[in-house]
Amino acid sequence: MEDSWEDSYPIYHEVVEIRTMPLYSDGEEEREILLSWEAILPDELLQKVLSLLPVANIIKLSIVCKRWYEVVHSSPPLSWGMMAPQKPLLFRSFFNDDAFSGSVYDPCLLRWYNFDLPHLEKSMRHTSSSCGLVCLMNPDDGNRLLVGNPIKRDWKLLPQVPGGSSPQFNALALSFDRRTCSYTVVVAKCSHTLLPGNSDQWHLSVHIYESTTKSWATPFTQDIGFWMGSNEAVICNGVLYYFMRPHPVQHPHLVAFHLAKPPSTTESLIQESIPVPFDLTCAGLINLSNKLVMVGRMARPRRGVVILELEDKTWREVSHMPICAYMPFDIENFICCGASDFLFVHSSVWPELLTLDMRQKVRTWSSQLGPWPHFYTKSLEIRSLYNCGFCFEPRLDVSS
């Protein structure tokens, strides 16, 4: 059985012996007093000391006593914003009949641990994350969204998204602002109507939720002709990047949608599009330390998984995995996510996980422990059970 993530780190609790001088000099026996080191620290300093530990340690220490629980879960947080940098964790779900449960992978220890998210609906499989927050959406009902911190489990239901509930494509993107402690959620809905001759006319609407106003706005809703949308979007430096194709048989493009100054027409939106240099059969967009990274599986001119980084509207190839290295991902689709300098690539039907440290240029393979099928299959039923995974930074200073 897998260990619990909160049990993965050793806990040290030391009692310090403090000797006191006699209060009187008339022969009274000198006394010794034993005090816990934390008893003499104010709450702010105690939280600052705890902030030097891994988040898993801090969560476990919160059950030591009532005072420590209040210090760990204090609101507003005192010192969590000064925590040491934490490596991101990857959550992979195993849906059962009753719960949203799964395992979390720690790239520091190269191990999997049990990690359940109680009270969440198993249909919330579409995800986006930013700076410790995660947004969940039912891909079959784009009107229902949850935002929360998986560590604190403070999930919040957002107001209903406007624009219809069943488009062909639902793209989700989340961005958290550390300076203002506010967040932005963007949902891009793309639907089509069938024209004479069996051609598709596509319609795109972009909906933006601001936590400061607690309301939705729809700055863009336009017919986009034969341009076909997708389920892939990400926010990077205040710009929404949306994966689209001018036509199903043409090379994909990346549309840049400035959140502060949205485009007013379809023509201005298309003019900002950035062609992708390869014909990708599937792709994922990730914000890594405010750099836009695309991971895609290409069929030609060379088969494999390619990692591209966008620099001033120009693509730079970071890595290419040939067919012999990406066999676990040689299926209809794969899932990729990341945060900080870590990129995670995995499949909906294979247990293997590929972790790439983009700064150190290190590639690591690991095998998932847990209730995986005894045979590999491409069936829609199995993919629907195992296709949820998201990466998040373990933080305590972020709330929904």
Side-chain angles (χ1 to χ4, degrees), residues 125-381:
R125 301 193 303 270
H126 203 164
T127 67
S128 182
S129 63
S130 177
C131 300
L133 276 188
V134 175
C135 186
L136 305 175
M137 179 175 69
N138 183 342
D140 299 323
D141 183 2
N143 292 335
R144 183 173 174 81
L145 279 78
L146 292 175
V147 176
N149 184 334
I151 299 297
K152 301 174 69 174
R153 293 181 168 93
D154 61 342
W155 299 100
K156 173 183 178 181
L157 180 65
L158 297 187
Q160 183 172 339
V161 186
S165 59
S166 300
Q168 275 65 38
F169 297 104
N170 256 325
L172 175 66
L174 170 69
S175 178
F176 182 83
D177 189 332
R178 293 185 187 272
R179 181 179 57 85
T180 61
C181 294
S182 61
Y183 60 89
T184 301
V185 178
V186 177
V187 176
K189 299 185 177 186
C190 193
S191 57
H192 75 87
T193 56
L194 192 62
L195 299 177
N198 293 328
S199 59
D200 290 325
Q201 169 78 33
W202 292 92
H203 181 85
L204 176 65
S205 61
V206 178
H207 313 276
I208 303 176
Y209 176 86
E210 299 287 354
S211 63
T212 52
T213 62
K214 299 182 180 180
S215 62
W216 289 94
T218 305
F220 185 90
T221 174
Q222 297 280 341
D223 289 328
I224 54 176
F226 297 106
W227 283 68
M228 182 176 66
S230 72
N231 292 323
E232 289 296 329
V234 69
I235 300 173
C236 190
N237 296 319
V239 177
L240 174 73
Y241 292 95
Y242 185 46
F243 191 81
M244 299 183 67
R245 286 181 182 270
H247 189 274
V249 298
Q250 296 183 16
H251 279 207
H253 282 58
L254 208 60
V255 172
F257 186 99
H258 294 268
L259 298 181
K261 189 179 179 181
S264 57
T265 63
T266 301
E267 289 73 18
S268 59
L269 181 69
I270 300 304
Q271 288 175 0
E272 294 290 330
S273 66
I274 305 166
V276 176
F278 304 110
D279 184 16
L280 303 179
T281 56
C282 55
L285 303 175
I286 306 103
N287 182 344
L288 294 184
S289 300
N290 291 323
K291 292 183 179 180
L292 178 63
V293 173
M294 175 184 290
V295 182
R297 186 167 69 89
M298 60 181 181
R300 55 182 186 273
R302 29 179 195 152
R303 296 185 64 187
V305 173
V306 64
I307 301 176
L308 304 172
E309 184 177 295
L310 187 65
E311 295 180 348
D312 297 327
K313 294 189 177 183
T314 302
W315 293 104
R316 180 177 67 89
E317 184 173 323
V318 177
S319 177
H320 172 260
M321 291 184 291
I323 186 171
C324 60
Y326 86 103
M327 282 302 295
F329 308 129
D330 190 18
I331 54 176
E332 183 178 341
N333 56 37
F334 62 91
I335 304 167
C336 54
C337 54
S340 184
D341 297 313
F342 285 83
L343 184 66
F344 301 96
V345 184
H346 58 105
S347 162
S348 59
V349 296
W350 289 72
E352 285 80 4
L353 168 70
L354 175 62
T355 304
L356 296 101
D357 186 333
M358 303 294 285
R359 176 175 295 182
Q360 301 295 330
K361 307 298 181 184
V362 176
R363 183 185 303 171
T364 305
W365 284 95
S366 65
S367 181
Q368 168 83 47
L369 300 175
W372 277 87
H374 295 295
F375 56 91
Y376 300 134
T377 177
K378 298 182 182 180
S379 71
L380 292 175
E381 180 181 1

